[in-house]
Amino acid sequence: MGNETSPDETTRPSATQWSERKSGRNELVACLIMIRGPHVGKRIVLNKDEMVIGRSKSADAQIDESSVSRKHAVIRKRGSEFIIEDQNSKNGTLVNMEKQMLCVLRDQDLITFGNTLFKFIANNSLELAYHEELHKLAMLDPVLQILNKKFFLDYLEQKCSYSQLFPTKFAIILFDIDHFKRINDTYGHQTGDLVLLHVANTVKTHLRNSDIFSRYGGEEFAIVLPDSDAEQAEFTAEKLRYAVETAAIVQDEEEIKVTISLGAASFGPAEAATCSSRNLIERADSALYQAKNAGRNRTVVFRGRG
C-alpha cells in the first residue's frame, strides 16, 4: 500500500515489448500477478524450473508479510505445466480458496499466501498481454489511485470466508472527511478534489504494506487491517486522524485544514463462525455515526457484539 517501488518492477514489459510479444517475436512467459498485497500489480515471472515463494529474503519471490512463512511454497515447472507445492507453511497455500498441498496450476487460478493474493497467468495466455492494465482499471479509483469500493467489498468477503477456515483476527476502519460539502461550497469542487487527494496520500503513508485502503464513497474511505484487534484498530485510526489534522493543504496561498471522523470494528477468532462482511461494515458504520454525533474529528470503536 505504500509508495515503494516493486522489487520486480523491471519484469513489467514496456508497450514495445508487449507489441513484440503479441506479434510472435517473443514468447509470453507464465507469471503470477499480485492482485492483493504489499505491491498490487507486481509481476513474478516464472522463469526458473523451481521457484521458492516466501517471506525469507533468500526466496526467489519474497512476500514481506508476517502471515507468510519463510519458505511458504515452491512452484516447479514440468514441461508446459506449473506445479505448486506447499512447504508445511503456517497458514497453508490456497488455490481458488481451497487449501492445497500439491496441485497443477491452471490459467487464471487464484493463489493465496497469507493475506497476499496472486493470479496465475499461464504461458501464452490470451490475457497475459493486457491483464495488468485491465486489472488496474477495474480495481483502482481513477481520481485517487487507491483501491475502489468493489475491491474492498470483494476482499472483505474473501477475508471473512478465509477466517471461517483459518480463524484469525482482523479489523476495518471507515472514515470520512468532516464538513466536506462546506469545503466544496467555499472553495469549489476542484479544491475539493485536491483535498480528497491530499487526505488519501496522507493516509497511505501511515499504513502498513498489508493494509487494504480504498475509496468507499464520495468523501468516505475504508481500510482493512489484517492481524489486528480492536485496540490495534483504535491505535491506527487515531494515528491517521492526527496525521490528517496536522497536515494542511495550501491552495492559492491559503492554508486549508481538514479533519476526519473514524469508526472501527473488529472480528476475532472466537467469532470466525459468524463472521460476515455485512455485519462488520454495519459495526464500523455505527461507530462512525457515533463519532460524527459526538462532534467529529474523533475515533469510535465498536465495542458491542451482535
Side-chain angles (χ1 to χ4, degrees):
M1 292 299 308
N3 297 324
E4 308 94 346
T5 300
S6 165
D8 287 351
E9 189 73 23
T10 56
T11 66
R12 298 185 185 181
S14 66
T16 301
Q17 289 172 313
W18 281 136
S19 176
E20 290 176 351
R21 290 181 177 187
K22 287 192 287 184
S23 66
R25 283 178 283 172
N26 192 4
E27 182 184 7
L28 297 177
V29 180
C31 65
L32 302 180
I33 296 178
M34 187 181 293
I35 60 177
R36 184 189 74 229
H39 300 286
V40 172
K42 172 181 176 180
R43 183 183 303 276
I44 298 175
V45 178
L46 302 177
N47 55 3
K48 297 181 179 179
D49 290 337
E50 181 173 303
M51 293 190 67
V52 175
I53 314 291
R55 194 177 75 251
S56 171
K57 291 183 179 180
S58 63
D60 297 296
Q62 185 190 15
I63 305 174
D64 187 14
E65 187 206 315
S66 60
S67 57
V68 174
S69 297
R70 291 181 59 80
K71 185 178 180 181
H72 199 103
V74 172
I75 297 179
R76 298 183 177 91
K77 184 178 181 182
R78 295 292 181 266
S80 61
E81 291 185 331
F82 288 86
I83 301 168
I84 188 167
E85 181 179 1
D86 185 78
Q87 301 296 295
N88 296 312
S89 64
K90 177 172 59 176
N91 294 314
T93 298
L94 278 67
V95 179
N96 299 324
M97 291 303 295
E98 293 185 5
K99 191 173 182 180
Q100 301 283 356
M101 287 302 297
L102 181 72
C103 76
V104 176
L105 294 175
R106 306 299 180 191
D107 190 33
Q108 312 299 308
D109 276 350
L110 297 177
I111 309 168
T112 305
F113 307 106
N115 294 307
T116 301
L117 179 66
F118 287 92
K119 178 180 276 192
F120 172 69
I121 308 296
N123 284 333
N124 297 315
S125 168
L126 292 175
E127 189 178 353
L128 188 57
Y130 56 84
H131 174 273
E132 185 175 342
E133 186 61 26
L134 286 182
H135 185 77
K136 181 179 178 181
L137 292 173
M139 70 183 183
L140 291 183
D141 179 85
V143 176
L144 304 182
Q145 291 296 292
I146 60 175
L147 297 166
N148 59 25
K149 182 177 182 179
K150 181 181 184 303
F151 186 93
F152 165 74
L153 294 175
D154 288 347
Y155 172 78
L156 190 59
E157 186 67 36
Q158 185 186 60
K159 186 69 176 173
C160 287
S161 298
Y162 181 85
S163 294
Q164 291 176 8
L165 296 172
F166 307 101
T168 185
K169 62 182 179 180
F170 67 98
I172 69 169
I173 297 171
L174 297 181
F175 74 88
D176 62 18
I177 301 172
D178 296 328
H179 304 297
F180 186 69
K181 183 178 183 301
R182 185 185 301 171
I183 294 172
N184 277 333
D185 291 344
T186 302
Y187 301 101
H189 288 279
Q190 285 187 326
T191 298
D193 287 344
L194 289 176
V195 168
L196 286 170
L197 187 60
H198 166 75
V199 170
N201 288 337
T202 300
V203 168
K204 275 196 295 187
T205 62
H206 290 83
L207 292 175
R208 302 171 300 178
N209 283 338
S210 59
D211 297 334
I212 299 297
F213 179 38
S214 63
R215 188 176 186 178
Y216 194 70
E219 71 274 16
E220 191 170 7
F221 299 82
I223 303 168
V224 182
L225 304 172
D227 303 315
S228 298
D229 56 21
E231 286 68 29
Q232 291 166 314
E234 183 173 26
F235 175 82
T236 298
E238 274 297 289
K239 179 175 65 174
L240 300 178
R241 186 195 62 77
Y242 179 77
V244 172
E245 182 183 31
T246 55
I249 180 173
V250 177
Q251 175 72 358
D252 296 330
E253 299 184 353
E254 182 176 357
E255 187 177 78
I256 302 172
K257 287 197 171 185
V258 297
T259 59
I260 57 176
S261 299
L262 309 96
S266 65
F267 267 126
E271 299 177 276
T274 59
C275 176
S276 82
S277 57
R278 179 177 179 180
N279 188 263
L280 191 56
I281 290 171
E282 287 176 350
R283 293 180 179 190
D285 197 49
S286 173
L288 174 57
Y289 182 78
Q290 293 177 47
K292 291 179 179 180
N293 277 355
R296 293 183 168 85
N297 190 24
R298 66 192 63 218
T299 296
V300 172
V301 178
F302 184 92
R303 300 288 183 183
R305 296 177 65 88

